[in-house]
Amino acid sequence: MGLVGNLCSDNLNSFNSQGYLVIESFANNEQIEAMRNRMDQLLHAFDCSSNVSVFSTKNQRKVTDDYFYESAENISFFFEEKAIGDDGNLKQPKELSINKVGHALHELDPVFKNFSFSEKLSNMLHSLGYKRPTIIQSMYIFKQPGIGGEVVPHQDNSFLYTEPTTCTGLWLALEDATITNGCLWAIPGSQKNGLVRRFLRGENGVYFDQPSPTYDQKDFVPIEVKAGSLVVIHGDLIHQSFENQSSKSRHAYSLHVVDTDGCKWAPENWIRRKVEAEPLYAS
């Protein structure tokens, strides 16, 4: 692949200053529809009677089990906390109860792999200086109407740590994301303060090595985007999203990339792959 960086100097300066960059119309309508239709098929085929696994950013320890760990190399389904009744069953159809599907859509499903391994995406990462980028996880996030859960303030490098740190989040809006339906919020420039804490996997489960700092909500700005927009997120940027209390969903496809050239994947990360991930390219 002949890589040609597709970010201009203004893009790079904005990313380095703000810690995030919005690229409008990164995916076209055909790509968006292909991913949404494929997820409909995957969800329809999923039998939730055998497993109802919940995902919550408020209580990570509660939701980490073998199903969660093994999702690093599988297509696994996680439900909203508020979708589960006291009897342990779903309170509404699974299509309106799912929180996310992850974490290996990018390598196991041809529709999602087609976007994830696209030349356009590789060219963008080349612009950011990646030498041997690897997608370490992918997620289809639903942000369901009324129950789409809050994602608390965090930094992606906390969860996907390399030495030196190299994680970049790529968040593709598959529907318009607004303040009303739970768009991303970020503290511009917060990546310059470095990594605050790490999320570690030990013998007794997962945990943070430091308590969460208290953030002033006045420092956050909303990142409202149209469907097809890609939000590029620095691994140390502090970002969050609120619960979706609207009647509209907010679907997104999220990728996290790390460099594997001269960088060491931390063995105490929650993801411990049995098979080395395929890089997007090597330069």
Side-chain angles (χ1 to χ4, degrees):
M1 181 186 296
L3 295 168
V4 179
N6 55 10
L7 296 181
C8 67
S9 58
D10 286 346
N11 291 152
L12 294 171
N13 288 338
S14 178
F15 177 73
N16 291 330
S17 171
Q18 299 297 304
Y20 67 92
L21 176 69
V22 175
I23 306 174
E24 296 180 348
S25 302
F26 190 89
N28 59 39
N29 289 335
E30 184 179 347
Q31 291 173 306
I32 293 170
E33 286 304 308
M35 286 186 272
R36 292 195 61 182
N37 290 337
R38 179 57 180 151
M39 183 49 63
D40 283 344
Q41 294 170 353
L42 290 170
L43 191 52
H44 179 74
F46 173 62
D47 180 9
C48 61
S49 63
S50 60
N51 182 79
V52 177
S53 185
V54 172
F55 181 80
S56 168
T57 64
K58 289 186 173 181
N59 191 348
Q60 295 274 10
R61 183 181 291 275
K62 178 182 175 183
V63 297
T64 45
D65 52 18
D66 287 343
Y67 185 79
F68 178 80
Y69 292 141
E70 292 168 3
S71 72
E73 294 177 276
N74 288 300
I75 297 175
S76 303
F77 298 77
F78 301 91
F79 290 90
E80 291 284 356
E81 277 189 298
K82 290 186 176 181
I84 312 297
D86 293 337
D87 60 358
N89 295 318
L90 296 179
K91 295 191 288 186
Q92 56 190 9
K94 62 183 177 181
E95 291 81 5
L96 295 174
S97 303
I98 196 81
N99 170 289
K100 70 174 182 178
V101 176
H103 290 93
L105 284 162
H106 63 282
E107 60 181 343
L108 298 180
D109 185 89
V111 173
F112 289 95
K113 185 170 185 176
N114 185 55
F115 173 81
S116 306
F117 281 75
S118 66
E119 187 173 355
K120 187 173 186 179
L121 202 67
S122 290
N123 284 335
M124 191 270 297
L125 291 169
H126 181 66
S127 293
L128 293 176
Y130 279 86
K131 302 298 184 185
R132 192 176 183 271
T134 296
I135 300 171
I136 201 65
Q137 71 173 23
S138 54
M139 298 177 284
Y140 190 107
I141 305 166
F142 293 81
K143 206 73 164 180
Q144 299 285 2
I147 62 169
E150 172 189 5
V151 177
V152 298
H154 66 283
Q155 299 167 295
D156 293 337
N157 272 327
S158 294
F159 303 89
L160 306 167
Y161 186 80
T162 61
E163 296 179 355
T165 53
T166 61
C167 183
T168 296
L170 306 173
W171 194 93
L172 179 71
L174 300 177
E175 295 182 296
D176 294 352
T178 67
I179 291 175
T180 306
N181 71 351
C183 70
L184 296 174
W185 293 69
I187 301 179
S190 56
Q191 81 284 357
K192 297 176 183 177
N193 297 323
L195 186 61
V196 173
R197 60 179 184 159
R198 288 183 58 194
F199 185 72
L200 306 174
R201 177 176 170 181
E203 292 183 4
N204 299 316
V206 292
Y207 60 96
F208 284 102
D209 64 350
Q210 301 286 338
S212 175
T214 301
Y215 298 105
D216 190 336
Q217 290 297 325
K218 295 194 300 293
D219 293 335
F220 286 86
V221 300
I223 307 175
E224 295 187 289
V225 295
K226 294 290 187 181
S229 298
L230 183 74
V231 186
V232 185
I233 303 170
H234 189 286
D236 282 345
L237 182 76
I238 297 164
H239 59 289
Q240 65 178 357
S241 66
F242 295 111
E243 185 176 62
N244 181 9
Q245 298 179 345
S246 79
S247 60
K248 294 183 178 181
S249 59
R250 191 227 62 191
H251 290 200
Y253 180 51
S254 173
L255 301 166
H256 289 95
V257 179
V258 296
D259 212 337
T260 54
D261 182 285
C263 306
K264 180 184 178 184
W265 178 254
E268 58 279 2
N269 285 337
W270 81 264
I271 291 180
R272 299 178 182 177
R273 292 182 58 97
K274 298 179 179 68
V275 179
E276 184 178 354
E278 176 187 357
L280 297 178
Y281 62 82
S283 62

